[in-house]
Amino acid sequence: MATAPALETTTPPTVTRPLPARPGKGVLGHWRLYAAISPFYLLFLAFGLIPVGFSLYLSFHRWDGLGPMEFAGLSQYRYLLTDSQFWSSIGNTLVIWALATFPMIFLSMVTAVLLNSAVRFKNVYRFAYFLPNVTSIVAVAIIFGSVFSTNFGLVNALLQAVGLDQVAWLNTPWGIKVAVATLMTWQWTGYNAIIFLAGLQTIPGELYEASRMDGAGPVQTFFRITLPLMRPVLLFVLVISTVTGLQTFSEPQVLLQTTDNNSSFAGGPGHSGQTMVLYFFQQTFDNNDFGYGAAVAWGIFLVVIIFSIINWRLVQRRGED
Amino acid sequence: MRLSRRGLLRAGLAGAAATSLGGLTTGCGVPTGSTGRDMVLWYWSGGLSPKVVQDAGARYAGAVDLQAIQIGGYYRSKLLTTLTGRAHIPDIAGLKGEDMASYLPNSDQFVDLRTLGADRLKDRYLGWKWDQAIAEDGSMVGFPIDCGPVAHYYQPAVFEKAGLPYEPADVSRELATWDQFFAAGEQLRKRVPGSFILTDALSVLSISVNQSTKRFVDRDRHFIGDQEHVRTAWDRAVEATHRGLVSKIVNGTPDNTSATERGLLPSQLNASWAAGDIKLNVPRTKGKWRVANCPGGPSNIGGSFLAITKACREPEKAFEMITWMLDAGNQAQGFVDSVLFPSTPASYAMRQLREPDPFFGDQITMDVFGPAAREIPVAFNSPYDVALSTPINDEMRNFYVLGKNPEKAWRDAMSKCRRIADHLGVSH
């Protein structure tokens, strides 16, 4: 706290000093304040930090979930590094993320710009676009399973209508990835369009008026004014999409669960749709291999950290522009 | 979506899986199990007949307040959570058949039912089913609920059109071996264009393995998935695919429903409880189905147990209750209510199980399922079976769905199995 500037009065200014930490009054002295903020920290400790620490401890052991734990040293991690299925699940996650995110950002942007221009029933549209995001993912995935089915699916019916061949979406490695990504795009486009719309509405109208005066067309206006000013919002959406995309689980899980008594976490034929988190579930809960599951979870943690750093760098550099 | 039994097998709806980690339960007993008077029973939707559970509550109301709780979602995770956390452990817990192998090594969590006099009742239950609940130290972990004998569901009208036998007795006799079944499949494909006798090749592999007395890992923790019995099953599934008997239709999609309704998938090899799924998924095919013996002999898929946990204060009372709930009369009720196929052979002769089923053209399906259930081969189920059969099933799918070379698929499956075996401490 800075001292208040002395006013022109005859009385000498009283100097207010910042609250002193009175001697002998450390943490204990302010126990009331600490008690007031403690609930979050206690809950976080009980339900966040301790389980996280336990999972780290667990990843150095062998455990079937019930019996005694056996110390295993680094063997779970050694096994993880040489497990081709883990690496391919990272690849799947990234491919699905890319296939879902870039079309999604493009569509969201277009939707937001359209919504931002003068349309009637604006609120109705906003509500409608937001709807996919709050719909039960399980119900959505069942519908999408129908949409992408080979003989009677909507997508193949459209392909045939324009004279193309049918695609066995849920039976081919790329088909599976496209199907999962489409589901995610459908789910998130509206949500991000609303965020973009909020960003668009912060751009001052004078800028657009000025550009019109200078004779800029709508396309030029978009690329010269809208897009540069939307950059922070765009980055925000990208970061959020990365974090959620790397944790993709329910979409492929529900879309690809097979009805034979196979694992519902396998991610379809050839594990083509098995994301990192699905792989974690399969190892942990199908095989009762809790120690290895914990090691996989820490592997996922590292991947997410790496991508967060990349994101952060990206944002930093943009900030310096 | 109504969850059928099979639906539960593929459980793990995402939300449920997520909450399972939270171990969400509704008002169960006190932290250390029961007070003796209160008794908590955990099961899952379709795991027991609701009527039998209700009757048990009423019957023992004088001595016990039975709280039967249907646990949704990922059942085993929730049970493991309470057992490991040593809190809110149910007194009586359902154990699913496919999880049984993973509970047996931890038999110390459960009351040994032999100490409560289970052996007196042994001859009333299917021998192979009883043995599935015996741990390595000889203790008995669970009491038999139901089983899932596999049969051949088929549409007689389509078989007749293809010039195949179509009366259940004839189909059982003339399609008794896999070779005969495959030959029939070829004839079906020729006479009824676009039809397939098999929906997938994986079922041939897994049913064939189930028909043998060995699985993937033996009692000595040794990998046996590379031996003759698995290799034969593998080759059989490959042969079925090469002969063009397997459809490319994905299970559980509208394609599948539509093809079934149109008689293009007129045949299913599946467990007794699949009858409920067929009735649910293709109700319009009512009357168009019959049941015959599965080619290659009897086998089993699924079936559960009731266990008494160590947290139970009144194991004698609990044992009295579960043996009453699972006696021949109540198991018959379970079949009527929830298609739980009895593990008590005495039930098979009971009137309510010998009712003609209009969905199956008034056939008495018990005539097929009953004898099959008695003759199911006994195989040792290892806790490592799931982990070590997964690569084999995966590679089988890579072959018949993605067109991978079957020899290469087998070799890759075996090398993956050896890697996993090393990791799990299984010799090979």
Side-chain angles (χ1 to χ4, degrees), chain A residues 64-67 76 79 82 142 149-152 171 250 253 257-259 261 265 270-271 285-286 288-289, chain B residues 1 6 10 12 14 74 76 80 84 102 106 248 251 254-255 258 301 386 394 397-398 401-402 419-420 423:
Chain A
D64 69 352
L66 260 188
Q76 305 283 23
Y79 182 70
T82 57
I142 290 168
S149 62
T150 308
N151 298 332
F152 299 97
N171 260 351
S250 17
Q253 197 269 327
Q257 57 180 330
T258 46
T259 44
N261 297 342
F265 306 123
H271 299 299
F285 299 109
D286 274 347
N288 290 316
D289 199 347
Chain B
M1 183 171 110
R6 198 191 317 184
R10 57 190 140 97
Y74 221 49
R76 184 184 52 181
L80 285 183
T84 309
S102 67
N106 301 300
K248 284 264 190 217
N251 267 328
D255 286 8
S258 160
I301 306 175
V386 174
D394 286 348
R397 281 208 296 182
N398 289 350
V401 177
L402 306 179
R419 244 189 103 251
I420 293 172
H423 167 66

Side-chain angles (χ1 to χ4, degrees), chain A residues 243-265:
Chain A
V243 174
T244 48
L246 291 175
Q247 297 175 19
T248 303
F249 168 80
S250 17
E251 294 89 348
Q253 197 269 327
V254 185
L255 196 60
L256 304 169
Q257 57 180 330
T258 46
T259 44
D260 45 41
N261 297 342
N262 216 1
S263 161
S264 56
F265 306 123

Side-chain angles (χ1 to χ4, degrees), chain B residues 82 130 266 408:
Chain B
T82 58
W130 190 272
K408 185 169 182 346

Side-chain angles (χ1 to χ4, degrees), chain A:
Chain A
M1 264 197 277
T3 49
L7 298 169
E8 287 175 296
T9 52
T10 48
T11 48
T14 49
V15 181
T16 51
R17 290 220 317 268
L19 269 177
R22 287 174 224 159
K25 268 216 139 188
V27 174
L28 288 177
H30 296 297
W31 68 269
R32 284 187 191 83
L33 299 176
Y34 283 104
I37 59 165
S38 67
F40 165 76
Y41 289 100
L42 292 175
L43 286 172
F44 177 71
L45 188 72
F47 295 101
L49 212 56
I50 290 173
V52 166
F54 178 69
S55 79
L56 190 62
Y57 171 83
L58 190 55
S59 66
F60 295 103
H61 291 76
R62 276 190 203 89
W63 192 42
D64 69 352
L66 260 188
M69 285 189 200
E70 264 177 71
F71 184 72
L74 283 168
S75 72
Q76 305 283 23
Y77 287 97
R78 266 201 299 276
Y79 182 70
L80 178 71
L81 289 176
T82 57
D83 194 345
S84 57
Q85 210 180 319
F86 174 65
W87 293 105
S88 74
S89 76
I90 296 178
N92 291 339
T93 310
L94 295 179
V95 170
I96 290 172
W97 170 81
L99 283 174
T101 304
F102 295 112
M104 187 270 300
I105 286 184
F106 173 76
L107 288 171
S108 298
M109 190 59 103
V110 171
T111 311
V113 170
L114 290 177
L115 274 181
N116 201 32
S117 57
V119 283
R120 292 163 67 193
F121 311 123
K122 206 176 270 193
N123 282 334
V124 175
Y125 284 114
R126 282 182 204 179
F127 173 73
Y129 283 121
F130 205 74
L131 215 59
N133 198 256
V134 292
T135 313
S136 154
I137 181 69
V138 175
V140 173
I142 290 168
I143 300 290
F144 268 75
S146 301
V147 169
F148 280 105
S149 62
T150 308
N151 298 332
F152 299 97
L154 190 66
V155 178
N156 278 347
L158 290 174
L159 286 179
Q160 278 190 299
V162 296
L164 293 167
D165 284 342
Q166 288 192 336
V167 178
W169 292 104
L170 301 177
N171 260 351
T172 51
W174 276 98
I176 285 173
K177 291 187 179 75
V178 170
V180 173
T182 309
L183 201 168
M184 288 161 67
T185 303
W186 178 82
Q187 226 198 335
W188 289 99
T189 296
Y191 176 87
N192 288 310
I194 303 292
I195 293 179
F196 282 144
L197 182 62
L200 286 173
Q201 290 179 335
T202 60
I203 300 175
E206 299 92 75
L207 290 176
Y208 288 115
E209 279 170 33
S211 71
R212 252 208 312 278
M213 299 281 238
D214 295 342
V219 176
Q220 248 184 322
T221 309
F222 177 79
F223 282 103
R224 293 294 167 90
I225 294 174
T226 311
L227 210 55
L229 288 170
M230 284 287 283
R231 194 171 266 165
V233 182
L234 198 65
L235 281 168
F236 169 78
V237 166
L238 195 64
V239 170
I240 296 293
S241 306
T242 308
V243 174
T244 48
L246 291 175
Q247 297 175 19
T248 303
F249 168 80
S250 17
E251 294 89 348
Q253 197 269 327
V254 185
L255 196 60
L256 304 169
Q257 57 180 330
T258 46
T259 44
D260 45 41
N261 297 342
N262 216 1
S263 161
S264 56
F265 306 123
H271 299 299
S272 324
Q274 189 173 48
T275 57
M276 293 187 291
V277 183
L278 269 182
Y279 176 71
F280 157 73
F281 259 78
Q282 187 190 24
Q283 295 302 316
T284 311
F285 299 109
D286 274 347
N287 299 355
N288 290 316
D289 199 347
F290 288 81
Y292 182 54
V296 174
W298 282 97
I300 295 171
F301 172 78
L302 277 181
V303 174
V304 175
I305 283 284
I306 289 166
F307 275 88
S308 304
I309 289 172
I310 293 173
N311 265 329
W312 184 69
R313 277 290 164 89
L314 212 65
V315 176
Q316 286 292 88
R317 230 198 10 251
R318 294 291 183 205
E320 288 157 14
D321 281 355

